[in-house]
Amino acid sequence: MVKGMARHAERLNGIPATIFTKMSALAVRTGAVNLGQGFPDADGPPAVVEAAVRALRNGANQYAPGIGTPDLRAAIAAHQQRHYGIALDPDHEVVVTTGATEGIAAALLGLVNPGDEVIVLEPYYDSYLAMIRMAGGVRRPVTLRAPDFRLDEEALRASVNAHTKVMLINSPHNPTGSVLTREELQIIADIAIEHDLVVITDEVYEHLTFDGAQHIPLATLPGMFERTLTLSSAGKMFSFTGWKIGWASGPSELVDAVLGAKQWLSFSSGSPLQPAIAHALDHEAGFYDELATSLKEQRDQLCAGLAELDVDVRVPEGTYFVTTDVRRLGWADGMEFCLALPERAGVVAIPAQAFYDDLDEGRHMVRWAFCKDPALIADGLARLQGADLRA
Ligand code: PMP
Ligand code: GLN
């Protein structure tokens, strides 16, 4: 054992290093085209950057209130009202987090007791695994099965037991690109109400849907607001992933649980960035509509190129991602495929097995990101098409 490893707390056992760090480092080291980690090539609106610069120059440089600045909380509440008709009290039903990542962490630390079970949709975002474990909880995956990646009502019902405390769902869904329909959300709502569960819903890709797929916040279903904690992030909404400004909203009881944990994680989130994101929410709604339009074109470009490679492609309804099955290329293991890819083709993708317990479903799945410059996608596809990708 490496000397340092012996000093790790037991709570880190069984939590792998995040696959995103590993694969982005591989891209940098090999000079490969990075179609792996989901960050956009193009920054968000210049006016929002200017608002942050103004805030920096005008003295927004000391701690913000832990719950978030009043202007940002008001803008988040106004956004939920405007888009979804959800009425929030910005003083008690909204908390600003350091990215949705902290929202996930604080929600799980604030709501899950040791031994509580947490249902997650599989493939699951990797921080869910880490934070359920750090909270002492037990994850109970319900698989969205290829090729359609739809919710399986029977499997969801079968996963609930006396220890279930929370369902943690994600729509639009990373990495499959599925957007849960009203019928699927109603199944989740019925089960949550029947078993008195809390639902944490990760909606960071809420505005990034295509072809008329409609994002419906779970909190808008009858009887659900009072048991639903909704997470989102300016990273995805405004293409500022490095700013790490996110938020949680819902009934004060659930928001208090997030704040109770968040105050000991980061205490508060970046002061000069909060007024800038408030400005973005109030004035830059056009940005995410245009982003969704350009992402759709990039999705079509990437999916068409991947389809020529003899991999199974299911065109996603939302997010930055398309997930493919690489078995027709002769690869049983997507991790081996992804580790060979930089040398074979000069491209990096993400082995989606990192997001599965059920390896029979996930071992051969590979995720590709299309939140990239079309010229970069074209370069990546040309490299893939010119390479020998057979196992
Ligand atoms: N949830 C999902 C589903 C994600 O894909 C991501 C990554 N952006 C996050 C949460 C984390 O969001 P943030 O970057 O705001 O911490
Ligand atoms: N959410 C991004 C993705 O899925 C990456 C975020 C991260 O690296 N933690 O690729």
Side-chain angles (χ1 to χ4, degrees):
M1 183 182 277
V2 182
K3 186 172 168 225
M5 292 288 286
R7 300 191 197 279
H8 284 185
E10 285 169 14
R11 76 172 62 82
L12 292 184
N13 291 348
I15 304 179
T18 172
I19 191 70
F20 301 115
T21 300
K22 180 177 168 143
M23 299 315 289
S24 281
L26 183 63
V28 170
R29 200 165 63 243
T30 59
V33 171
N34 192 351
L35 300 181
Q37 190 178 19
F39 59 89
D41 278 346
D43 284 349
V48 180
V49 175
E50 289 311 315
V53 170
R54 271 199 309 280
L56 279 163
R57 294 220 165 102
N58 292 339
N61 297 302
Q62 308 309 328
Y63 298 123
I67 191 171
T69 58
D71 57 348
L72 179 52
R73 283 182 286 111
I76 293 163
H79 170 275
Q80 295 302 92
Q81 178 72 58
R82 197 166 64 242
H83 283 283
Y84 311 121
I86 298 174
L88 293 168
D89 169 356
D91 292 333
H92 301 101
E93 295 179 328
V94 179
V95 53
V96 174
T97 57
T98 303
T101 304
E102 190 190 48
I104 293 160
L108 290 166
L109 292 171
L111 291 167
V112 173
N113 283 314
D116 285 347
E117 295 197 4
V118 180
I119 294 171
V120 288
L121 303 181
E122 177 184 74
Y124 42 75
Y125 186 57
D126 66 350
S127 84
Y128 304 170
L129 175 157
M131 292 316 305
I132 291 169
R133 215 176 245 263
M134 287 204 211
V138 177
R139 74 178 173 282
R140 197 53 77 185
V142 173
T143 308
L144 304 178
R145 288 179 196 283
D148 294 331
F149 303 118
R150 301 315 321 176
L151 183 72
D152 178 342
E153 177 174 3
E154 223 173 287
L156 182 59
R157 284 197 175 276
S159 70
V160 182
N161 63 45
H163 302 289
T164 311
K165 173 91 180 277
V166 169
M167 281 198 259
L168 169 49
I169 67 163
N170 168 220
S171 179
H173 183 259
N174 176 6
T176 66
S178 285
V179 177
L180 293 178
T181 62
R182 185 174 292 282
E183 290 69 33
E184 289 169 318
L185 292 166
Q186 191 61 56
I187 291 167
I188 291 167
D190 289 346
I191 294 173
I193 291 168
E194 195 178 316
H195 296 277
D196 194 23
L197 307 178
V198 166
V199 188
I200 303 170
T201 169
D202 178 343
E203 302 184 359
V204 299
Y205 299 101
E206 60 187 295
H207 292 300
L208 306 183
T209 60
F210 319 121
D211 303 331
Q214 198 199 349
H215 168 68
I216 303 169
L218 184 70
T220 60
L221 271 66
M224 286 308 290
F225 178 79
E226 64 237 49
R227 60 180 67 252
T228 301
L229 185 72
T230 304
L231 307 180
S232 196
S233 171
K236 301 295 147 60
M237 205 179 278
F238 294 109
S239 296
F240 289 122
T241 61
W243 286 21
K244 301 300 295 185
I245 298 292
W247 48 89
S249 64
S252 60
E253 188 192 9
L254 300 182
V255 165
D256 281 351
V258 173
L259 191 53
K262 183 232 155 78
Q263 66 185 323
W264 305 116
L265 292 170
S266 59
F267 179 68
S268 69
S269 304
S271 303
L273 304 178
Q274 295 192 46
I277 296 301
H279 172 89
L281 284 163
D282 287 340
H283 301 289
E284 299 282 351
F287 177 81
Y288 43 74
D289 291 339
E290 281 169 33
L291 178 61
T293 304
S294 54
L295 274 174
K296 179 196 157 355
E297 282 171 23
Q298 290 152 227
R299 173 201 72 171
D300 291 345
Q301 180 192 7
L302 182 62
C303 288
L306 290 174
E308 284 178 30
L309 301 177
D310 204 21
V311 295
D312 286 315
V313 178
R314 184 247 184 190
V315 178
E317 296 147 6
T319 77
Y320 290 166
F321 309 113
V322 54
T323 296
T324 59
D325 177 343
V326 294
R327 281 178 297 186
R328 277 217 308 268
L329 287 170
W331 297 87
D333 188 324
M335 178 68 87
E336 286 175 13
F337 174 82
C338 287
L339 291 178
L341 208 53
E343 198 180 314
R344 297 258 189 131
V347 172
V348 158
I350 299 287
Q353 63 182 239
F355 314 135
Y356 282 87
D357 285 21
D358 183 351
L359 286 179
D360 289 343
E361 281 294 316
R363 189 178 285 110
H364 45 273
M365 302 305 263
V366 171
R367 191 195 82 175
W368 313 80
F370 50 82
C371 49
K372 308 291 178 186
D373 192 291
L376 192 91
I377 296 174
D379 183 12
L381 286 171
R383 290 170 182 227
L384 290 166
Q385 282 155 4
D388 177 10
L389 298 181
R390 303 233 141 244

